[in-house]
Amino acid sequence: MAFCKYCGKELDKDGNCTCETAIRTAVPDREHIKADKAPDGGAKKVLAIIGIIAILAVIGALALFIICSVNAYKKPVKEVVKGVNRGDTERIVSAMYTEYGQSELRVIEKEKNYDWETFISENDKSIDKIRKSKNIKKIKVDIVAKEKLDGSNLSQIEDYYKNVFDEEVKKAYRVEVKFTVKYKDGEQVDDGWLIVAKIKGDKWIYCREGSDSFDYLDALTALL
């Protein structure tokens, strides 16, 4: 016969006592309490990790947005070159014209009794034909530096877009470029300056007005 060490009462057949002290200090209850606490601690750690990942994702997205915004002026030049290499007229048009300018170009072609799809298809073929006639395999462009336009240089670009497209230039850069043209029998490297303009309410575009002349580039974009 066994008795409770806390109250002195006889223990039941399982060796347990029903007094308050014995119940509170029972091993199964202590394990139950620990079991209850364990998920809470684990959940907090998981939530903390999720929070850190979310913060890092936001910071990464913000950094990417800033980088893209800072380098947005480079895009039209690179897009023109990609369009030339791939015989992609729509890519070139998008790099050279605002949304309004593209609409105007569509109207002009329609007045010539050209539907837009036919114009794009025919011009794609023309780009490929001219590129092949010049034995050009690929053109690569590196943007070396930029110079913000002001004074009369900026006025020239502003007047051009105002008179031709009735659009307002927010700012413009003169960018130094290095073209590496790969021919079938070698390659040629040319340096020069191109103009890119940020149109108010729209995007950065490549501007032939004021840009240096490059035979292979001008010939391949002449129809636009």
Side-chain angles (χ1 to χ4, degrees):
M1 186 177 295
F3 299 91
C4 178
K5 64 180 180 179
Y6 300 107
C7 67
K9 291 169 56 176
E10 183 178 349
L11 301 180
D12 62 16
K13 62 180 180 179
D14 295 321
N16 299 318
C17 180
T18 57
C19 74
E20 183 178 349
T21 304
I23 292 174
R24 189 170 61 248
T25 58
V27 172
D29 285 352
R30 290 201 300 272
E31 291 178 350
H32 177 70
I33 291 171
K34 289 180 181 179
D36 287 343
K37 288 183 178 180
D40 290 342
K44 288 179 180 178
K45 289 181 180 179
V46 171
L47 289 174
I49 292 172
I50 292 174
I52 292 171
I53 293 173
I55 292 171
L56 291 175
V58 171
I59 293 173
L62 182 60
L64 181 61
F65 173 77
I66 292 173
I67 291 171
C68 290
S69 297
V70 169
N71 293 316
Y73 72 94
K74 297 179 180 180
K75 185 175 180 180
V77 174
K78 292 183 176 181
E79 287 294 289
V80 166
V81 173
K82 283 182 182 178
V84 166
N85 285 328
R86 300 175 185 180
D88 187 343
T89 300
E90 286 193 299
R91 186 184 291 271
I92 298 172
V93 168
S94 179
M96 293 175 62
Y97 293 90
T98 62
E99 292 297 325
Y100 173 75
Q102 292 177 52
S103 298
E104 287 293 294
L105 191 59
R106 288 172 182 265
V107 171
I108 292 171
E109 293 307 316
K110 187 175 182 180
E111 290 175 347
K112 295 178 182 177
N113 295 319
Y114 260 103
D115 66 85
W116 185 247
E117 288 71 23
T118 301
F119 168 74
I120 292 296
S121 177
E122 291 299 318
N123 203 69
D124 286 349
K125 293 176 183 177
S126 295
I127 292 173
D128 287 336
K129 184 177 180 180
I130 294 171
R131 194 177 63 243
K132 289 177 182 177
S133 70
K134 292 179 175 292
N135 294 319
I136 296 173
K137 294 179 66 176
K138 187 176 181 180
I139 301 174
K140 178 185 176 183
V141 63
D142 291 313
I143 298 174
V144 181
K146 68 176 180 179
E147 176 184 294
K148 188 175 182 179
L149 295 184
D150 55 19
S152 60
N153 292 324
L154 178 60
S155 296
Q156 178 186 353
I157 305 304
E158 289 176 330
D159 291 344
Y160 172 75
Y161 280 100
K162 185 65 177 176
N163 296 332
V164 178
F165 300 104
D166 194 27
E167 292 178 322
E168 184 179 343
V169 173
K170 186 176 180 181
K171 58 183 173 181
Y173 290 146
R174 187 169 171 257
V175 294
E176 184 180 0
V177 296
K178 181 176 76 172
F179 286 111
T180 303
V181 186
K182 293 186 178 180
Y183 296 94
K184 289 183 179 180
D185 55 354
E187 69 176 38
Q188 174 183 334
V189 178
D190 292 319
D191 296 307
W193 295 84
L194 300 178
I195 302 297
V196 292
K198 176 72 169 68
I199 305 301
K200 189 173 182 180
D202 210 290
K203 59 186 178 182
W204 283 96
I205 55 178
Y206 161 60
C207 176
R208 281 181 294 199
E209 182 72 14
S211 292
D212 287 347
S213 179
F214 296 91
D215 176 61
Y216 41 82
L217 190 63
D218 296 341
L220 292 165
T221 60
L223 297 177
L224 303 174

